[in-house]
Amino acid sequence: MPDQKIPSPSAETDVYAIHGADPEVLAYAMAKYSRSALSMKESLVEISAQRAEQFLNTFYFQYGHRSIADLAHIPFAIERLSLLAAIEVVDEQRWDGQERSTRYQDFRRSGWYTPSLGERTGEFTKAVEQLFHAYQGVSAGMLEALKSAIVRPETMKPEAYERTLKARAFDVARYLLPLATNTSLGQIVNARTLETQVSRLLTSPFAEVRQIAEKLRIAATEPAWNVYHADAQVLCEEIGSVHEFCAQRATEMLMRPVKTAPTLVKYAVENAYQKESCAELTAAAGELMAGQAIDPAPVVDLLDDTEPLEVELATSLLYPNCHYPYRQLRSNVAALPAARRDELIALGTKHRGRHDELLRAFSAGQGFRFDILMDIGGFRDMHRHRRCVQLLQRYTDAHGYEEPVCPGQPTLAEAGIEKEYTAAMEAALAVYRSLRDSGVPEAPQSAQYVLPLGTRCRSMFKMDFAEALYIAELRSGVAGHFSYRRIAWEMYRAIAERHPALASHFRIEDVNEPVDLLRR
């Protein structure tokens, strides 16, 4: 046998961060680890954008190696979109980002999105203007009430005192912000999440959301905004005054157009599986619950886990497509013949394509399931928790609205703004019903933009014990908004009642105790 080279002792472990590689090129380089002994530095030297595109077209689209797209991370800014659209955009289980805060920013100057309502647009605009007027009045009225009730400590600077109480006042006034209100957000997602996000948004019943999906796809496939473009241009011009050839090379290096995901997102289209499934499940829920009123239900309902998996799956599939509490829906599903339950489950897979992930409702078997009825503003905060399965029902006036109540803080009545708040809420819901039933194309969707954040919405949260403890501890803290503090407290109480031995593991704060309103 010929002599075989014996490997030398391995060198020290090498660890280094990487900066400057295009997202798709970096994804290709990382994917090469599975098929090449080259180092990352060596791979990046030899890879071009063209070779990366060829590789991704073959292995991602033809062979379905979707995990490759997890390696390309892309930051986006999405500005001047409605609160309603923002909730849709961030509704991904693999998502990282940040949005404008209703606590620290005055949304009076934000403007709003106006859906297509034809001759009913004036009615919509008037309703939104009235809500913003009430937002301003309630914010100012609550700020004055807080100043009257809370004396500034000598150790606290006047500007800090003013800023803290303004935040408390905005926490109350935000209930009046309509879903049409403009916001902005930033997100950093991998290309696989981006592809599924764009596809999901293209399937939305809201025209604004579909338009955002197209803009996301364009932003990913066209040259990205270069933070250093202006400085690089000045530098290249300065070099050009000395050496033309060097200036040309500098321009090619520093000012070349970078497309963040020209390959991985270009084929994202409307998701027929989600669209067709939603339509058929909505019809099935309507048929099953025909003529039934919505049963009263607690704000937080910790569901038992005694039903068979088939009942949970069928109920979970119907839940986002109606407005009924989970228990009421489940009792109807459980009463069905097994064959009909199987048919309902089959509706959830009937239109599934080769590369489609199952609908989120199929994520079943979690130990803790909470059916939650809370204001939309509070839901937006709870929506940020990604280590759980969330099923959100459509927005409606069917559940009424919340009144902002914080222990230790002046009530709306004490602040002299209760009538203004109630009148604004009732007027907005009346306009919602009027627009919903107007017969204008997509009226049921467009009407939802006028619903204020104080409107109640129903959602299902499924999670394990660790996540339930984490949410209860984090969201019950005194620095949090009183809306989700109450939800976190009710989650804890429900677990403590069912599993008393586990209660001692929670580091919980009683939300019924008056709080120091100057503590943030």
Side-chain angles (χ1 to χ4, degrees):
M1 290 181 65
D3 292 338
Q4 291 186 343
K5 186 176 180 181
I6 300 175
S8 59
S10 58
E12 254 185 57
T13 300
D14 199 5
V15 179
Y16 49 93
I18 302 164
H19 170 70
D22 297 358
E24 287 194 354
V25 170
L26 186 57
Y28 178 21
M30 289 188 173
K32 286 192 69 175
Y33 269 135
S34 69
R35 291 171 171 79
S36 170
L38 292 178
S39 71
M40 178 65 66
K41 294 176 183 177
E42 292 167 334
S43 291
L44 285 171
V45 167
E46 72 166 25
I47 293 174
S48 66
Q50 184 178 8
R51 285 189 61 190
E53 181 178 3
Q54 293 170 347
F55 171 83
L56 295 170
N57 274 325
T58 300
F59 285 88
Y60 186 73
F61 293 110
Q62 293 182 28
Y63 297 162
H65 294 302
R66 297 175 65 82
S67 62
I68 294 170
D70 293 342
L71 306 174
H73 286 76
I74 311 156
F76 289 92
I78 308 173
E79 300 172 346
R80 292 179 301 282
L81 74 164
S82 72
L83 292 171
L84 185 151
I87 295 172
E88 295 288 310
V89 168
V90 308
D91 190 30
E92 290 288 335
Q93 291 180 287
R94 298 180 292 266
W95 188 88
D96 294 294
Q98 192 66 258
E99 186 184 343
R100 286 183 64 196
S101 170
T102 57
R103 166 175 284 181
Y104 299 113
Q105 297 192 45
D106 186 344
F107 274 69
R108 285 179 299 170
R109 304 177 184 86
S110 299
W112 63 83
Y113 171 80
T114 301
S116 178
L117 284 164
E119 61 183 17
R120 305 298 292 270
T121 300
E123 184 180 356
F124 174 88
T125 301
K126 182 179 179 181
V128 171
E129 288 175 342
Q130 289 175 339
L131 281 170
F132 272 103
H133 180 75
Y135 168 82
Q136 182 177 358
V138 167
S139 176
M142 181 54 68
L143 179 59
E144 290 305 311
L146 286 166
K147 287 180 177 179
S148 299
I150 305 168
V151 178
R152 178 178 67 85
E154 293 183 2
T155 56
M156 191 176 200
K157 294 182 179 179
E159 55 270 24
Y161 172 76
E162 180 84 10
R163 185 171 58 249
T164 300
L165 293 188
K166 270 188 176 180
R168 293 288 185 184
F170 283 148
D171 277 352
V172 172
R174 84 171 188 185
Y175 282 61
L176 291 161
L177 288 174
L179 282 168
T181 305
N182 281 339
T183 184
S184 297
L185 62 87
Q187 69 172 28
I188 299 177
V189 295
N190 64 51
R192 174 155 50 162
T193 296
L194 178 63
E195 183 192 26
T196 58
Q197 182 186 48
V198 170
S199 179
R200 177 178 57 80
L201 298 178
L202 284 170
T203 313
S204 171
F206 297 99
E208 179 199 11
V209 176
R210 298 194 296 270
Q211 292 164 4
I212 291 171
E214 290 288 356
K215 291 181 179 181
L216 270 171
R217 179 164 55 186
I218 292 170
T221 54
E222 291 190 348
W225 181 71
N226 183 354
V227 178
Y228 302 108
H229 184 274
D231 291 338
Q233 187 171 24
V234 171
L235 178 61
C236 291
E237 290 173 355
E238 291 174 349
I239 296 174
S241 65
V242 178
H243 200 293
E244 183 177 348
F245 178 72
C246 289
Q248 182 179 347
R249 290 198 62 192
T251 300
E252 292 172 354
M253 287 290 294
L254 301 176
M255 300 183 64
R256 67 184 180 87
V258 175
K259 300 176 181 179
T260 55
T263 310
L264 294 171
V265 185
K266 64 182 178 182
Y267 297 122
V269 296
E270 177 186 82
N271 190 308
Y273 170 44
Q274 293 180 5
K275 184 175 182 179
E276 298 300 326
S277 298
C278 178
E280 294 191 9
L281 288 166
T282 298
E287 178 185 342
L288 177 66
M289 307 300 289
Q292 294 190 36
I294 297 175
D295 286 350
V299 171
V300 174
D301 186 4
L302 174 58
L303 299 158
D304 50 69
D305 55 0
T306 57
E307 79 266 35
L309 180 59
E310 292 81 3
V311 173
E312 181 186 348
L313 287 173
T315 306
S316 295
L317 284 164
L318 297 176
Y319 180 88
N321 299 292
C322 66
H323 296 299
Y324 293 93
Y326 187 91
R327 282 187 188 275
Q328 182 180 2
L329 192 60
R330 182 179 64 181
S331 67
N332 282 264
V333 170
L336 292 171
R340 178 52 182 158
R341 288 201 298 271
D342 292 343
E343 290 174 359
L344 291 175
I345 296 172
L347 289 179
T349 59
K350 177 180 176 182
H351 301 284
R352 187 183 178 205
R354 179 185 175 189
H355 297 301
D356 286 322
E357 294 184 8
L358 279 171
L359 298 176
R360 191 178 300 179
F362 278 101
S363 297
Q366 281 80 2
F368 293 91
R369 295 173 297 157
F370 298 93
D371 189 3
I372 300 175
L373 185 64
M374 68 183 308
D375 60 281
I376 299 173
F379 168 78
R380 289 175 67 244
D381 294 312
M382 295 287 288
H383 194 205
R384 298 171 187 169
H385 294 283
R386 305 293 166 190
R387 291 190 313 182
C388 55
V389 178
Q390 301 179 22
L391 304 177
L392 174 64
Q393 295 185 351
R394 300 182 185 98
Y395 307 118
T396 176
D397 66 327
H399 309 303
Y401 58 88
E402 292 282 356
E403 180 178 319
V405 177
C406 175
Q409 182 168 313
T411 64
L412 295 179
E414 291 168 345
I417 50 179
E418 183 178 30
K419 289 183 178 179
E420 182 177 6
Y421 177 86
T422 303
M425 281 292 194
E426 294 291 347
L429 296 189
V431 172
Y432 161 76
R433 290 187 286 269
S434 173
L435 295 175
R436 180 195 61 193
D437 302 333
S438 65
V440 174
E442 296 192 7
Q445 290 77 36
S446 298
Q448 294 175 46
Y449 281 95
V450 82
L451 290 174
L453 291 186
T455 309
R456 295 191 186 106
C457 65
R458 189 180 294 284
S459 56
M460 169 70 67
F461 282 70
K462 303 182 180 185
M463 64 195 75
D464 59 20
F465 174 71
E467 183 68 359
L469 181 143
Y470 172 74
I471 293 176
E473 289 187 347
L474 176 70
R475 294 300 183 184
S476 66
V478 296
H481 193 285
F482 44 83
S483 171
Y484 60 70
R485 288 192 72 214
R486 181 168 62 105
I487 299 300
W489 174 254
E490 292 299 331
M491 288 173 64
Y492 158 73
R493 286 186 60 210
I495 294 174
E497 182 177 347
R498 181 167 301 172
H499 305 281
L502 299 179
S504 63
H505 299 292
F506 286 77
R507 299 167 182 171
I508 201 81
E509 298 198 51
D510 189 340
V511 303
N512 298 302
E513 295 293 326
V515 300
D516 178 358
L517 297 175
L518 296 178
R519 178 181 168 189
R520 307 305 296 164

